[in-house]
């Protein structure tokens, strides 16, 4: 089973600043990685797939990078609506399995 | 616009079976391109993939839940259903229905709003 580890667990950032979130896979997942944003009381929303491709309607301030075992989600200038929990998900060994990371909470500093 | 809607009891007793139905609207569940999945989230915790089903009935399950999970599909009703047996308090969670592509970028692009299921006597 591929284990996905996200760091840090919580990131405190001021509005307008850059946020950098990390996701590490226990073995290579190539570029088969997605990022999601989840706000309280809402379902997750797909942000990035293929490690770096923004999903439809996602603002350009969200960018993804990395391949293999190390991945980064960058939010270039945090807006008030960006404070949320972010999850990575690998799909390299689909089928049969899909795996999420534990999440990073981005909070207001 | 594709929509997924979860429905089912909000309270299940320990050792009993949790049942959830996901109704798809705005697209056919019989599409060649997509799997239909279930994801759960315990209160205050992260996301856990439970399993996925293709319209043909082909299924894949999370190994950690496989012995207790069954996902089935009813194409005539455009629905798929989750059954989780022998539940405990650890199964208390918000349960989501979601769609992902069959091949390629297998990530979840549409989600239901989720439904909280509490396991308690």
């Amino acid at each position: 089973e591929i284990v996905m580890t996200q760091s840090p667990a919580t990131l405190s950032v001021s509005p307008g600043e850059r946020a950098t979130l990390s996701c590490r896979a226990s073995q290579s997942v190539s570029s088969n990685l997605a990022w999601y944003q989840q706000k309280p009381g809402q379902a997750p929303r797909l942000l990035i797939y293929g490690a770096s491709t923004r999903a439809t309607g996602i603002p350009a301030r969200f960018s993804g990078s990395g391949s293999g075992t190390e991945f980064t989600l960058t939010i270039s200038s945090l807006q008030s609506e960006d404070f949320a929990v972010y999850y990575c998900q690998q799909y390299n060994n689909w089928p049969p399995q899909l795996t999420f990371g534990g999440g990073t909470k981005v909070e207001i500093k | 616009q594709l929509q997924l809607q979860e429905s089912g009891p909000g309270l299940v007793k320990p050792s009993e079976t949790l049942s959830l139905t996901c109704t798809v609207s705005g697209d056919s569940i019989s599409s060649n391109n997509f799997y239909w999945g279930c994801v759960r989230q315990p209160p205050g915790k992260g996301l856990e993939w439970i399993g996925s089903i293709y319209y043909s009935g082909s299924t894949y399950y999370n190994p950690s839940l496989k012995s207790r999970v069954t996902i089935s599909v009813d194409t005539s009703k455009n629905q798929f259903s989750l059954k989780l047996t022998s539940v405990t308090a650890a199964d208390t969670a918000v349960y989501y229905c979601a769609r992902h592509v069959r091949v390629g970028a297998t990530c979840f692009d549409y989600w239901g709003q989720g439904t909280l299921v509490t396991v308690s006597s």
Side-chain angles (χ1 to χ4, degrees):
Chain A
E1 177 187 352
I2 299 177
V3 177
M4 308 301 293
T5 302
Q6 292 187 241
S7 62
T10 303
L11 185 62
S12 298
V13 185
S14 299
E17 290 188 341
R18 174 188 296 257
T20 303
L21 290 66
S22 295
C23 176
R24 174 177 294 178
S26 61
Q27 63 189 77
S28 177
V29 298
S30 187
S31 294
N32 296 315
L33 185 107
W35 289 93
Y36 300 84
Q37 176 193 66
Q38 187 180 33
K39 297 179 181 179
Q42 296 184 16
R45 175 176 70 145
L46 178 65
L47 296 176
I48 301 280
Y49 62 91
S52 62
T53 302
R54 281 189 300 277
T56 303
I58 302 303
R61 65 180 181 271
F62 291 92
S63 63
S65 63
S67 66
T69 62
E70 301 283 344
F71 300 88
T72 300
L73 175 69
T74 302
I75 311 171
S76 60
S77 177
L78 271 160
Q79 307 298 303
S80 58
E81 61 267 29
D82 300 334
F83 292 96
V85 180
Y86 293 83
Y87 294 94
C88 60
Q89 176 232 322
Q90 71 80 21
Y91 48 89
N92 190 65
N93 65 339
W94 169 265
Q97 197 165 3
L98 302 169
T99 317
F100 289 94
T104 291
K105 181 180 180 180
V106 177
E107 64 176 23
I108 300 175
K109 186 174 182 179
Chain B
Q1 176 77 353
L2 179 71
Q3 292 187 325
L4 297 95
Q5 180 66 56
E6 304 87 352
S7 59
L11 182 64
V12 181
K13 290 182 168 56
S15 80
E16 295 190 345
T17 296
L18 181 158
S19 296
L20 184 73
T21 296
C22 304
T23 301
V24 178
S25 59
D27 194 9
S28 171
I29 203 170
S30 300
S31 167
N32 286 336
N33 297 322
F34 300 105
Y35 266 79
W36 305 91
C38 298
V39 176
R40 71 179 183 178
Q41 184 172 38
K45 296 188 178 180
L47 301 168
E48 180 179 35
W49 173 70
I50 299 171
S52 299
I53 190 164
Y54 193 53
Y55 78 93
S56 64
S58 172
T59 53
Y60 294 97
Y61 299 129
N62 187 324
S64 68
L65 298 169
K66 188 173 184 177
S67 64
R68 299 194 291 131
V69 172
T70 302
I71 300 178
S72 58
V73 64
D74 186 337
T75 56
S76 67
K77 295 182 179 178
N78 229 35
Q79 294 177 335
F80 61 106
S81 297
L82 167 71
K83 291 190 185 300
L84 181 66
T85 62
S86 304
V87 297
T88 69
D91 295 310
T92 294
V94 175
Y95 285 77
Y96 293 100
C97 302
R99 183 187 83 167
H100 64 81
V101 298
R102 183 170 64 91
V103 293
T106 314
C107 47
F108 297 94
D109 58 353
Y110 283 93
W111 296 70
Q113 64 186 19
T115 186
L116 175 64
V117 179
T118 301
V119 178
S120 175
S121 56

